[in-house]
Amino acid sequence: MSNDLHYNFFQSVEKSFDKAAPYTEWDAGLLEQIKACNAVYRMRFPVKMDDGHIEVIEAYRVQHSQHKTPCKGGIRFAAEVNQDEVMALAALMTYKCAIVNVPFGGGKGGIKIDPRKHSAYELEKITRRYTSELVKKNFIGPGIDVPAPDYGTGEREMAWIVDTYTSLKPGEIDGLGCVTGKPITQGGVRGRKEATGLGVFFGIQEVCNMPEIMTKRGMSIGLEGKTVVVQGLGNVGYHSAKFFRERGGCKVIAIAEYEGAVYNENGLNEEELFQHRKTTGSILNFPGATNIIPSSAALELECDILIPAALENVINSYNADRIKARIIGEAANGPCTPEADEVFAEKGILCVPDMYLNAGGVTVSYFEWLKNLSHVRYGRMEKRFTENLNGHILGQMETLTGKQVSNEERNFIMHGPEEVDLVHSGLEETMITATREVMDCWHKNPSIPDMRTAAYVVAINKVATSYTALGIFP
Ligand code: NAD
């Protein structure tokens, strides 16, 4: 087996693409164009740090495809950021958006810094300078390229970006749509923060409700009582754990962070663990749980569902053989290498691929962008109307039948949608449809080796259809 630990990430995305291409009927030249990264902007800029010294910051923005615009993709702050990684993540965004029917091309950004080594003020200066560089090169804008949070960034950084953008482009009516994942008070949408984790949950729930998938693996249908291991207690890992526990009735038996992992066969509560880490600085020594060191050993625990939600390449040719989970839900981007995929195929482990499973973030980002362009909160126009109408129908039914519904039922039936209800419902619909489309493609062509390849086939077909309809300029 090859050494895939230092695998070129972009090459590994291309490898997955090439594995899927033979299951499509598109021209080789068109496939080359779909694979290529259309634009890579590598920048360096100086930032004066708190102690007065000047640091030269290396950063990137990649636009993989403009078959639909704007381009869309998160911005990552990490010491490991490099051009290859940003290109790979941008390519994944193109395929991801296609699978979940979000009309964007793929993009991605990265700043090569360790955010933990900078003060909030330094991070703000870095983020604002990065945004201004993007503005100068026309690499950001509601109709051009719309960043979002990713590893190491969150709504705070997105607020700095929108503020910088709108300051540099005063009066641009749709300016708020230049970035998503913003705080709700600054044009964000309710439900964005938990979107990726909730999407992972909806996707895996749909897979677990498919009798042919579950019986083949000797597993019961549904999520109730299933054991789950989560790697990463960041945004995606935390919310995945929360929804598997709360909505799925699963037992999250282990959670791993970079300092180690904790295990409790009766299940962990992610919020209590999060608070414990906040107070003590580590997830280790959590009351009632056993420590696991090194952290990566948690990936090899016996469980039904493994959710890697930290970084890429964590399951590779070195440890894939030791994975005991029966379903892997790729919440992070690129956590399993192509070599690991081959091991899973041999062992009958179902790996539900990142490229659509973690699309909850971009799906809700799309809803946020639409909200910004329409300048009105979801639910504002219809909530009261729906409640009044439902109240009227209920009243008529009670009069006609002479019976009264319980208060609990009344509240449920009367309820008009809030923004968060509509966002969650749109996300559920998106993830269920995407899961079924990918599974359908796999079932129609059983020689496709795995679900990732089936997902790529679905994505290639959609992007190629777009290119074919558009033609090639000039
Ligand atoms: P985050 O920074 O909020 O959380 C990542 C967590 O992983 C951190 O707590 C970090 O300490 C931990 N971690 C790092 N290395 C680890 C290791 N070796 N073992 C265990 N834990 C480790 O980032 P996030 O937004 O949750 O993103 C996580 C992954 O999900 C990334 O791959 C990202 O690209 C992907 N993703 C994020 C979103 C989103 O909406 N945030 C959307 C799609 C995909």
Side-chain angles (χ1 to χ4, degrees):
M1 210 170 266
S2 67
N3 179 352
D4 55 339
L5 277 185
H6 304 290
Y7 213 85
N8 175 312
F9 189 12
F10 186 63
Q11 239 174 38
S12 100
V13 173
E14 288 198 313
K15 197 170 167 183
S16 300
F17 184 102
D18 292 341
K19 196 168 157 188
Y23 300 100
T24 71
E25 289 173 355
W26 303 101
D27 175 81
L30 182 59
L31 292 170
E32 272 308 304
Q33 169 52 34
I34 296 175
K35 261 199 311 189
C37 260
N38 288 357
V40 179
Y41 177 22
R42 174 176 178 270
M43 65 198 97
R44 282 177 177 232
F45 51 80
V47 174
K48 200 178 258 182
M49 299 299 160
D50 293 347
D51 64 2
H53 86 279
I54 293 168
E55 208 168 301
V56 181
I57 306 290
E58 181 180 329
Y60 300 88
R61 184 73 192 172
V62 171
Q63 296 172 346
H64 175 260
S65 175
Q66 275 98 353
H67 73 287
K68 302 261 179 202
T69 45
C71 294
K72 189 87 190 77
I75 296 177
R76 176 174 283 208
F77 284 5
E80 301 78 25
V81 160
N82 59 69
Q83 182 173 327
D84 171 76
E85 179 186 76
V86 186
M87 283 168 65
L89 293 166
L92 281 173
M93 284 303 294
T94 295
Y95 310 132
K96 183 181 295 190
C97 289
I99 296 173
V100 292
N101 298 314
V102 165
F104 294 146
K108 202 80 185 186
I111 305 187
K112 192 176 166 56
I113 49 164
D114 180 347
R116 286 170 300 183
K117 293 197 177 136
H118 291 277
S119 69
Y121 185 48
E122 287 177 355
L123 289 173
E124 180 175 349
K125 286 205 278 190
I126 294 168
T127 309
R128 287 185 184 277
R129 178 65 192 250
Y130 175 72
T131 310
S132 76
E133 295 295 327
L134 295 180
V135 169
K136 274 194 251 172
K137 288 279 191 299
N138 215 16
F139 258 69
I140 185 170
I144 299 168
D145 190 347
V146 181
D150 189 65
Y151 186 87
T153 58
E155 51 180 43
R156 178 182 66 170
E157 288 73 16
M158 302 307 117
W160 292 333
I161 292 175
V162 76
D163 184 61
T164 309
Y165 182 86
T166 49
S167 303
L168 295 173
K169 302 232 172 190
E172 195 178 289
I173 182 93
D174 292 328
L176 276 185
C178 74
V179 66
T180 59
K182 302 179 291 288
I184 289 157
T185 52
Q186 307 307 320
V189 74
R190 289 161 186 82
R192 172 62 180 86
K193 204 169 172 181
E194 67 272 31
T196 305
L198 184 57
V200 168
F201 167 76
F202 284 140
I204 296 292
Q205 176 175 249
E206 186 59 17
V207 165
C208 290
N209 283 338
M210 293 179 166
E212 65 283 9
I213 294 290
M214 301 307 274
T215 43
K216 208 164 147 187
R217 288 167 179 79
M219 297 173 83
S220 61
I221 293 163
L223 277 178
E224 188 68 39
K226 299 256 180 317
T227 51
V228 180
V229 171
V230 177
Q231 183 193 41
L233 191 60
N235 178 314
V236 180
Y238 172 90
H239 288 106
S240 301
K242 175 183 161 79
F243 293 118
F244 276 106
R245 180 181 63 75
E246 271 181 9
R247 292 201 184 195
C250 298
K251 275 197 280 186
V252 180
I253 56 168
I255 297 183
E257 258 296 332
Y258 64 87
E259 68 268 22
V262 287
Y263 172 83
N264 182 339
E265 60 177 355
N266 299 317
L268 297 159
N269 179 302
E270 71 295 328
E271 175 55 25
E272 287 169 13
L273 184 59
F274 181 79
Q275 291 306 334
H276 169 80
R277 189 172 192 234
K278 216 166 138 183
T279 341
T280 66
S282 162
I283 64 168
L284 295 173
N285 306 320
F286 182 58
T290 320
N291 291 339
I292 297 180
I293 296 173
S295 164
S296 57
L299 298 169
E300 299 165 19
L301 288 168
E302 185 81 53
C303 65
D304 293 312
I305 301 164
L306 172 62
I307 305 288
L311 280 178
E312 58 266 11
N313 290 354
V314 292
I315 305 175
N316 45 58
S317 55
Y318 288 87
N319 61 357
D321 249 350
R322 300 193 295 270
I323 301 295
K324 297 179 199 74
R326 283 178 288 175
I327 295 176
I328 299 173
E330 289 189 320
N333 281 311
C336 305
T337 64
E339 282 76 6
D341 273 348
E342 284 166 26
V343 176
F344 302 153
E346 269 167 40
K347 290 174 70 176
I349 295 174
L350 176 70
C351 181
V352 184
D354 51 358
M355 51 185 302
Y356 100 89
L357 189 68
N358 66 24
V362 71
T363 303
V364 173
S365 276
Y366 170 46
F367 301 157
E368 179 176 335
W369 181 76
L370 290 174
K371 174 186 180 180
N372 295 150
L373 299 193
S374 63
H375 300 266
V376 63
R377 165 172 58 81
Y378 288 107
R380 179 165 176 179
M381 306 301 281
E382 66 267 43
K383 181 176 160 59
R384 282 291 148 195
F385 181 83
T386 308
E387 287 182 356
N388 291 340
L389 182 67
N390 291 348
H392 186 76
I393 295 172
L394 198 57
Q396 287 293 310
M397 278 172 54
E398 287 179 337
T399 310
L400 289 171
T401 59
K403 291 180 183 162
Q404 291 229 313
V405 301
S406 67
N407 274 344
E408 198 187 337
E409 274 305 311
R410 178 181 307 280
N411 289 341
F412 183 78
I413 296 168
M414 292 271 298
H415 177 74
E418 302 278 359
E419 181 165 85
V420 70
D421 300 323
L422 293 166
V423 165
H424 283 181
S425 155
L427 176 60
E428 184 173 7
E429 163 62 19
T430 303
M431 294 309 295
I432 290 176
T433 306
T435 307
R436 289 184 186 167
E437 276 184 21
V438 173
M439 282 297 187
D440 242 34
C441 167
W442 198 8
H443 288 155
K444 280 188 188 136
N445 194 341
S447 57
I448 293 179
D450 49 40
M451 198 175 169
R452 187 187 315 282
T453 310
Y456 268 94
V457 171
V458 170
I460 293 171
N461 284 336
K462 288 187 186 177
V463 179
T465 303
S466 245
Y467 270 113
T468 310
L470 291 169
I472 289 176
F473 177 82

